[in-house]
Amino acid sequence: MKEINIGILGLGTVGIGIVQLLKKRQAKIKNIYGVHFNLKTIAVRDVNKKRNVELPANTKLCDDDSKVIDDPDIQIVIEVTGNVDGAYHAIQRAMQSGKSVITANKEMLASHINDLNTIAKNNQVNFFYEASVAGGIPILRVLSESILTDSFEQVNGIINGTSNYILSEMLTNQADYHQVLEAAQQLGYAEANPRNDVKGYDAAYKLSILSYLIFGQFLPVSKIRLQGIDQISIEDLKAAQNDGYKIKLIANLKRKHKQLTASVVPTAIKKDEQLANVDGVQNAIQVTSDALGRTTYTGAGAGSLPTANSVLSDLIASANTETNGYSMALQNDNNNDYQIIKNGGKSQYLIIIHLRDNQINSVAKLESIQKIKFDNISTMMTNEISYPELQLLLKKIKNHVHPGTIVHAFPIFKS
Amino acid sequence: MKEINIGILGLGTVGIGIVQLLKKRQAKIKNIYGVHFNLKTIAVRDVNKKRNVELPANTKLCDDDSKVIDDPDIQIVIEVTGNVDGAYHAIQRAMQSGKSVITANKEMLASHINDLNTIAKNNQVNFFYEASVAGGIPILRVLSESILTDSFEQVNGIINGTSNYILSEMLTNQADYHQVLEAAQQLGYAEANPRNDVKGYDAAYKLSILSYLIFGQFLPVSKIRLQGIDQISIEDLKAAQNDGYKIKLIANLKRKHKQLTASVVPTAIKKDEQLANVDGVQNAIQVTSDALGRTTYTGAGAGSLPTANSVLSDLIASANTETNGYSMALQNDNNNDYQIIKNGGKSQYLIIIHLRDNQINSVAKLESIQKIKFDNISTMMTNEISYPELQLLLKKIKNHVHPGTIVHAFPIFKS
């Protein structure tokens, strides 16, 4: 029986899920795998906070990180604090102490994944982060296991459950954005400050991680074209639906030779496409690759148990591989030798123009406006145009109609 | 640099794909993984057959299995012959000679997976078969990596590309079964003798493998409720569509405590369900489990490159794990301690009755007939009923209308 001592930093939703799932599976892991994970110490900010979890009898709860990081007995540290800078330094120290690290911290990884990978390599420890992207889908493990056999061209993902839930509910209930956001906050599907979710940052952090894992290329969020869902109205969704499209917040990473483009933008997807039918808080990741063509993975994006499952998978992988620096991204070259072109590439766009009654004629004069729709909404489909060309077109439309006209442009999904 | 000698039995579509893909990836595998796979010997039935592949300079092509199986240099044997008995004995001998084995042979595995697993364990060799189920989707690896962290309840799969292609084309082109089958055969999507695909056997073999991997339970095909697609007419598909359903050949494996039921039957799926939108030769597997809820994997089901990719994944896994008997199913208990209930469980059914003009009145008299449709098709929805209850109902319908009446019953998909 192999005994492995683990320590956890943080005991929020995910931390609690880990404790519960570990308890559930300990017997099976012992019997089949011959390993016992001893949950030695959990460090939190506030030991007196009321938590809905029963800790194992011999697990120590404390408010001092170093009781986890500096304990020579502890071999694996799980970081699920949710904060950024504190977590980065804690993980650094843990690795430098020869401890393997498992984290779910996407925002921290979006900034530090490159240097943490280097530190892990130098200290010959394992470094896993399955729970940081699409909590319930084993996507990072699957992709890392494909790195040697396949060659990736494109990744498209619905990887923020909150924004996907909002867009789905707006359409289902024919309700406006603010109404649905409020309801989502009450249900706990959106935070009090929903910025990270609705402005696309959360999806961008995850896209960063995917870029590093798949291409070995560090992708700063600043190089990702970012557009959130907070300007979308129910009229936009209805107009798109009328043209046969669903609007989804799509995270896209595209490779062309040694160039990468990355974006998180609301996108128009034909309704019979698989991604168009991923609704509510579900996540989905569609990968286009040389050997397999198109593969789609759909499942839970978050939640205590699904995320805990990802952490537990990492725990088992960490116990399996010899401490030799194996980690998901260590398989790849990490050469950072791609050129990242922000706002690169071309796309077709579905343009939705919100008109006032007296503006309909002026729009009709604008060439290539294809149809006037119900409720003073006009839509048009562009050819494949570049991002600068799109900006010019939007300016042209506003000049023709009215400078304050609401015009939304949704790239058309192309797999 | 770790040198590993491999031998291949068979050089058909999949074998050729393996040679090509290995050639493409050798450099990457060397650089990142530090392993060189030396393709030493390939044994085929007919060395003179014209094949569209260029073999590496030092690879020997021969017509003698023993030059692969009995060569002490060769460490891993890849079996892609497509025949059943010969392959079983070859694999046995290879394992007993201390060689790890990778196979794509689903029909052989459906009968022999249990004893081959035992032989692999006894000889402490690796035994992988990712390519045997949904060629391009890494489903077995994903599931085997979830065995320790999760608990499975149900698997639903579209795992035969030929039948899925036929059903999709029938609906898209409003064409009848025989017309589409012929076109599929000409395109190479269906065999000259299409029996295995259209009668559900191919899907059943794969379901057997899934049962063994996930539950450690050997599942003979004879215990799977089997119904093919060869009795389905375009009228059935249109009637189902009119009620909001798509008909798909679904392989289902369901666990209730220590009981399993398994079936491969044409099933009615609500059109907004993910599985309803998996068309053409695509495959999809939907897993319902304790920690993750529902997860869906969609991708290529077959084809030279996708299947070769699965084999190459197994090759890399086989080189990675020490030869200690690790294999996908060795993680599980393989206790064979489930009770398999054939035709167990209850389901709602969509019943489609093909009527002659003079029969419509007699059907209307039959209680619980819900609607009379266009084109002399009547559909009805049952409550949740057992398989024996279904048989009674079908008999009752035929007694009322005419003994020769065509009546089709499609279980309603419930995830």
Side-chain angles (χ1 to χ4, degrees), chain B residues 275-337:
Chain B
L275 287 182
N277 292 297
V278 174
D279 290 318
V281 291
Q282 277 209 310
N283 277 198
I285 292 161
Q286 191 169 85
V287 183
T288 308
S289 62
D290 174 52
L292 299 188
R294 266 214 316 193
T295 319
T296 312
Y297 307 86
T298 308
S304 183
L305 267 189
T307 313
N309 188 77
S310 291
V311 171
L312 196 54
S313 293
D314 281 347
L315 209 51
I316 285 160
S318 197
N320 185 28
T321 47
E322 296 184 310
T323 303
N324 58 4
Y326 168 78
S327 92
M328 290 175 180
L330 293 176
Q331 287 193 320
N332 210 342
D333 274 326
N334 309 125
N335 284 337
N336 284 306
D337 57 359

Side-chain angles (χ1 to χ4, degrees), chain B residues 26 37 47 49 93 122 156 164 218 267 296 306-307 312 326 332 340 343 394-395:
Chain B
Q26 278 284 28
F37 290 108
V47 287
K49 178 178 173 188
R93 284 168 46 212
N122 293 342
N156 282 293
N164 199 46
F218 180 63
T267 305
T296 312
T307 313
L312 196 54
Y326 168 78
N332 210 342
I340 303 167
N343 296 327
L394 296 177
K395 203 172 274 182

